[in-house]
Amino acid sequence: MIIYYDASAGISGDMNIAALLELGVNFDELKDELLKLNLADEYELELTKVVKNGISASKFDVKLKTHTHERSFKQIKELIQSSNLSQNVKDRAISIFTTIAVAEAKIHNKSVDDIHFHEIGATDSIIDIVGACICYEILGVDEFVSSSIELGGGIVKCEHGELSVPVPAVCEILSGKNVSINRANYEMTTPTGAGILATLCKSFAQKQNFNIKKIGYGAGSKDNENFANVLKVMLCEKSTQNTTNVMIETNIDDMSAESLAFACEVLLKAGANDVFCTPIIMKKGRAGVKLSVLAKPNDTQKIKELIFTHTSAIGLREYEVSKCELPRTIKSIDTKFGEVRVKISEFNGKQKVKAEFEDCKTLAIKHNISIDEVAKEALSEKN
C-alpha cells in the first residue's frame, strides 16, 4: 500500500496520527501498542472530531501528565530499542529521529551523539513519531509519496527563543525537497512532520498514478479563514497505468569490471529503479558496455552526478520511458530461521510471490543453510 501526503496545509506529528487513524487504524489498538514504550505514566491520548472550514477531520492530542525533560538522541534510541515493538516499527522510528538529529547536529555544530532534543525529545513527540510508525505497519504501507510541503511563516517561540518560520531544523531537514512558504502567518510544518516526510517519502511530486482506497483528514490546532487547516492523507494502491521514468545511458570501454560493478551498486543504493549493463561493439570494433540506469524524474540530476563521479563517462543520453507495474505489497513473514520480507503482486486474480533475496541471504549465512531453503520456508509460511 502507498501513503500519499497532501501537505499543502503543512504537517505536524499530531495531524499525521489523526489522519492515519481515519484511514482505518483502531484507536485502542494504537494505544495498546504504544504501551510497549513504557511511558504510560507520562501521557493520556485524546481523539475528537472537529470541522475545519467545512471539512470534517479528526484531532489527536497527547495530554502530558507530568513535565518531561529533554532526552538525548541516545536515550531515545535506547527507549525504542528496549521496547517490545516490532523491529519494523523500531527501525522506521529510529530512522526518523536520526534524520532530525543529523539536522540538529549540523545547525548547532555538534556531533549527532551530543544532540539533546528539546521539543522533539518530549513525550508527545515520541508518541507522534512511534505512533505513526505503528499505524504504517497496521495499514501495510510500504511506500510514501508527498506533494510539495507548505512551511508557513511568522514567528514561533521555542527553547532557544523566538525563531522565524520556517525554523532552521525544518529548513535543514527538508533541504532539497519541494516546499512553499508564507501561505499563513504561523508554523505549518513542524520538525516532527518534516522528519517523517523527509525520511519516508521517495518522491515529492504532484503527478502520481494511484487507485485511492481511503482518505483521512488530520486537523491542526490553528484556524484559517482562507483554507482548511488539515493534513489530507490518502491510502492508495498502485495502478497498472503507465508511469513516466527517465532512462540514462552511457557507453563505457575504459573501466574495469570491478569498478563498474561498484558504480552500479552505488546507483542502486541512491534510489535508481534499475541498473543494468549490456555488452556492445563501439567505434572501430572496440568492445564496450552500455550502462543503463532507470530513474524517477525527481532523481535524474542526482543519478547523473553519480554516474559522472563513479564512472569514466564524459557524456550521457537521457530520454523518457513509460513503465507499467503491477500492484505489490510487502509482508513480513516469521519463519523458524527468522523474519523474511515477501513481495506479493497480483494479476488477473493470481498472485506472484517472491521472498526478498537480502533477507534470505542474511539468514542463510546465519544458519549455514542454502538461500533456497530459507525462501522455501518463507513462502510455505505465507501460504
Side-chain angles (χ1 to χ4, degrees), residues 12 34 45 48 61 63 87 93 95 103 128 141 169 211 213 219 236 244 256 275 296 300 315 317 358-359:
S12 63
L34 285 170
L45 302 182
T48 56
D61 290 293
K63 305 290 186 181
Q87 193 60 48
S95 292
D128 286 343
V141 180
N211 291 325
K213 297 300 180 182
C236 311
T244 299
S256 68
V275 180
K296 302 178 187 69
T300 301
R317 302 181 297 276
E358 290 299 328
D359 292 353

Side-chain angles (χ1 to χ4, degrees), residues 218-264:
S221 299
K222 301 285 187 180
D223 291 316
N224 193 296
E225 63 181 17
N226 297 317
F227 61 88
N229 184 26
V230 297
L231 171 68
K232 180 168 67 178
V233 181
M234 297 186 291
L235 185 65
C236 311
E237 285 184 348
K238 287 182 179 178
S239 70
T240 55
Q241 295 178 351
N242 288 348
T243 56
T244 299
N245 281 239
V246 177
M247 184 66 79
I248 306 168
E249 296 178 343
T250 186
N251 296 346
I252 295 173
D253 65 351
D254 56 354
M255 285 183 67
S256 68
E258 294 87 352
S259 296
L260 186 56
F262 174 72
C264 293

Side-chain angles (χ1 to χ4, degrees), residues 89-108:
V89 169
K90 291 179 183 180
D91 291 344
R92 271 185 179 156
I94 291 173
S95 292
I96 294 168
F97 275 110
T98 300
T99 297
I100 300 170
V102 169
E104 293 281 5
K106 182 176 180 180
I107 293 166
H108 300 297

Side-chain angles (χ1 to χ4, degrees), residues 356-373:
E356 287 292 334
F357 177 80
E358 290 299 328
D359 292 353
C360 295
K361 175 183 173 182
T362 299
L363 294 176
I365 294 172
K366 179 179 178 181
H367 296 283
N368 194 28
I369 57 178
S370 72
I371 290 175
D372 288 344
E373 189 173 349

Side-chain angles (χ1 to χ4, degrees), residues 112-131:
V112 172
D113 290 337
D114 291 334
I115 286 296
H116 278 70
F117 293 115
H118 302 291
E119 291 86 353
I120 299 298
T123 303
D124 51 348
S125 292
I126 294 174
I127 295 299
D128 286 343
I129 290 175
V130 176

